Amino acid sequence: MADLVGKRPRIQGEVRKIEWRKLKKERKEEKKKWRELKMIKKLEKQRAQEEAEKQREEAEETHKQTNGRSYTLSVALPGSILNNAQSPELRTYLAGQIARACAIFCVDEIVVFDEEGEDVKSIEGEFVGIGKKGQASVQLARILQYLECPQYLRKAFFPKHQDLQFAGLLNPLDSPHHVRQEEVLEYREGIVLDRPTRPGRGSFVNCGMKKEVQIDKNLEPGLRVTVRLDQQQIPESKSLKGRVVSSQEPRTHAGLYWGYSVRLASCLSAVFAEGPYKDGYDLTIGTSERGEGLASIQLPNFNHAIVVFGGLQGLEAGVEADPNLEVTDPSVLFDFYLNTCPGQGSRTIRTEPRLSPGTALKTLSSEEFPLSNIEASLSSLRGSHPHLPGYPATSYHWGWGWGWA
């Protein structure tokens, strides 16, 4: 009896030992299955990411195949034209007329140069406004940039300034990149917000919509960016998805006019020497009453064209004041030196009528060439020559540049 009592615990211990081994084995199998499931999920996630990346690449390829516009059009004019206005209100309104004319004709870059031979430092740093001599170029550039910027971004990029005191008088450009809140458009301008994001996620951008847009990159807050919204969005999501793209993509891929950039140049020669394009401007046009008529020229193909206008004293004043130029005749600086308003009925054409978009004159075949110098030149570049690629029927644009620190 004593032997039986002593053996029972040992038998029970052996049974427990066997059960424990079985339990261990089962746990190992469960862990193995869990690892396999985890690996399958990881692979599925990877495949989904690869598929999404493939779709994005296909979308980009589709964008490249669309009728984009590869060439650019620039306009250069002296800031001194504002000095012809009799009051600060008229100076502001005149700058607005220039911006409107350039936006209507899809100008990609506006260069404001100093034709009075002032010190280069006069167009750098902080400025007190229009009260001091030599600030016309800066004020013109500031107003041009202000008008180009979408309304919902102006508060962030343009603090209160004396140069913008009468900005309320300005007519809006109403360019396509000034997208309204409810308007549906693939591209939008935005500002990167200072908001925390999860690791591996991009920054949030305010694009002027009810929902913020989460982009694919982490960028410094306060930057102005061009965003291409994803075609497929999740309606229940608190934010939209998009990608940061070049400010030139709406023009080159989709053929959209996306605004103009503004550049300051210290003199006439700096207009060409400090250009943003690697090979410079391959078509340069100067305007003067001493130039050739439009009917006598045929424009070649170009990648980057620039049309240069003089001030009240013409381009001769800019050439004379430029320390880097040894020539006296402005026509030698350009591929074409044109008179866009032959037989004018006034000794001088002021900036206001030259830039007025209202009046027009048919001078070449059936093409309309506006009476204003800038419009006439831009019209001839747009469509008067069949071998030149024309602007698309619906043209938009987005671009920008800051001319001061």
Side-chain angles (χ1 to χ4, degrees):
M1 189 71 177
D3 293 338
L4 290 172
V5 173
K7 288 179 182 178
R8 281 176 189 171
R10 189 171 57 190
I11 292 167
Q12 289 176 358
E14 286 174 0
V15 173
R16 285 177 187 172
K17 193 173 182 181
I18 292 166
E19 287 177 354
W20 175 248
R21 285 177 181 173
K22 188 179 178 181
L23 187 62
K24 246 178 138 180
K25 189 178 179 181
E26 287 175 356
R27 285 183 178 177
K28 281 183 180 178
E29 287 176 358
E30 284 178 5
K31 283 184 179 179
K32 189 178 179 182
K33 287 180 182 178
W34 181 78
R35 285 197 201 97
E36 287 175 355
L37 286 171
K38 192 177 179 182
M39 185 63 70
I40 290 168
K41 284 182 180 179
K42 191 176 180 181
L43 288 171
E44 287 177 352
K45 191 177 180 181
Q46 254 181 352
R47 284 173 189 168
Q49 287 177 348
E50 287 173 2
E51 189 67 27
E53 191 64 32
K54 189 178 178 182
Q55 288 178 357
R56 284 181 179 177
E57 287 176 1
E58 287 175 357
E60 286 179 3
E61 195 63 32
T62 305
H63 274 284
K64 290 178 183 177
Q65 292 171 1
T66 55
N67 296 324
R69 174 166 66 90
S70 59
Y71 61 93
T72 64
L73 179 60
S74 303
V75 163
L77 67 167
S80 61
I81 60 176
L82 290 192
N83 293 332
N84 196 39
Q86 292 83 2
S87 67
E89 293 90 339
L90 288 177
R91 289 166 72 104
T92 303
Y93 195 77
L94 174 56
Q97 284 183 305
I98 295 168
R100 288 276 303 172
C102 290
I104 288 169
F105 287 93
C106 301
V107 172
D108 302 301
E109 180 194 29
I110 303 177
V111 187
V112 182
F113 65 91
D114 179 13
E115 69 168 357
E116 297 178 350
E118 301 253 344
D119 189 355
V120 178
K121 293 180 182 178
S122 66
I123 56 169
E124 294 179 354
E126 292 295 328
F127 303 95
V128 295
I130 63 174
K132 291 189 176 182
K133 184 182 177 183
Q135 303 303 312
S137 296
V138 178
Q139 187 189 12
L140 176 57
R142 199 187 303 274
I143 294 173
L144 292 175
Q145 289 181 337
Y146 176 82
L147 280 172
E148 187 278 333
C149 184
Q151 288 89 334
Y152 56 88
L153 298 179
R154 288 175 181 171
K155 188 176 180 180
F157 290 114
F158 293 91
K160 190 175 180 181
H161 196 280
Q162 188 178 350
D163 286 351
L164 303 173
Q165 181 181 0
F166 299 103
L169 299 173
L170 297 169
N171 296 316
L173 297 187
D174 203 21
S175 294
H177 67 295
H178 293 192
V179 189
R180 293 166 179 81
Q181 188 180 67
E182 302 296 336
E183 192 175 347
V184 178
L185 191 65
E186 186 178 9
Y187 295 96
R188 278 188 176 260
E189 288 289 290
I191 180 173
V192 180
L193 301 175
D194 189 6
R195 271 189 55 184
T197 56
R198 293 179 183 178
R201 301 288 184 89
S203 304
F204 287 95
V205 177
N206 173 20
C207 291
M209 296 184 288
K210 290 181 179 179
K211 292 182 179 181
E212 294 169 354
V213 180
Q214 189 167 29
I215 55 177
D216 58 330
K217 295 179 181 178
N218 228 320
L219 300 177
E220 183 183 348
L223 288 177
R224 179 177 169 179
V225 292
T226 304
V227 178
R228 191 178 74 215
L229 299 174
D230 292 348
Q231 292 181 353
Q232 295 180 351
Q233 301 286 350
I234 304 172
E236 297 81 14
S237 178
K238 292 183 179 179
S239 62
L240 303 174
K241 300 294 181 183
R243 302 188 72 186
V244 174
V245 296
S246 166
S247 60
Q248 307 301 317
E249 183 173 309
R251 171 179 60 83
T252 57
H253 288 188
L256 308 176
Y257 177 71
W258 211 247
Y260 53 77
S261 61
V262 180
R263 176 164 64 92
L264 282 167
S266 58
C267 54
L268 182 58
S269 59
V271 171
F272 308 101
E274 300 171 2
Y277 308 112
K278 184 179 178 181
D279 298 325
Y281 303 100
D282 53 358
L283 178 61
T284 57
I285 299 173
T287 61
S288 171
E289 60 182 10
R290 300 170 186 83
E292 301 177 70
L294 288 171
S296 63
I297 63 116
Q298 186 175 7
L299 297 178
N301 291 319
F302 61 87
N303 293 319
H304 306 293
I306 185 168
V307 183
V308 184
F309 299 93
L312 294 176
Q313 300 174 2
L315 287 171
E316 290 79 5
V319 171
E320 186 179 348
D322 194 326
N324 303 317
L325 296 177
E326 298 178 355
V327 297
T328 55
D329 183 9
S331 63
V332 301
L333 302 175
F334 304 98
D335 299 323
F336 294 96
Y337 199 56
L338 304 179
N339 179 8
T340 57
C341 186
Q344 63 191 54
S346 175
R347 292 188 183 90
T348 58
I349 303 179
R350 291 163 59 103
T351 306
E352 294 88 339
R354 280 195 294 172
L355 297 173
S356 172
T359 54
L361 179 67
K362 293 184 179 181
T363 58
L364 288 181
S365 63
S366 61
E367 297 295 333
E368 289 190 2
F369 286 85
L371 185 59
S372 68
N373 282 10
I374 186 170
E375 293 180 4
S377 299
L378 301 187
S379 294
S380 64
L381 286 172
R382 285 186 69 181
S384 62
H385 307 283
H387 65 281
L388 286 180
Y391 283 89
T394 53
S395 53
Y396 304 83
H397 162 179
W398 169 351
W400 37 272
W402 309 110
W404 47 80

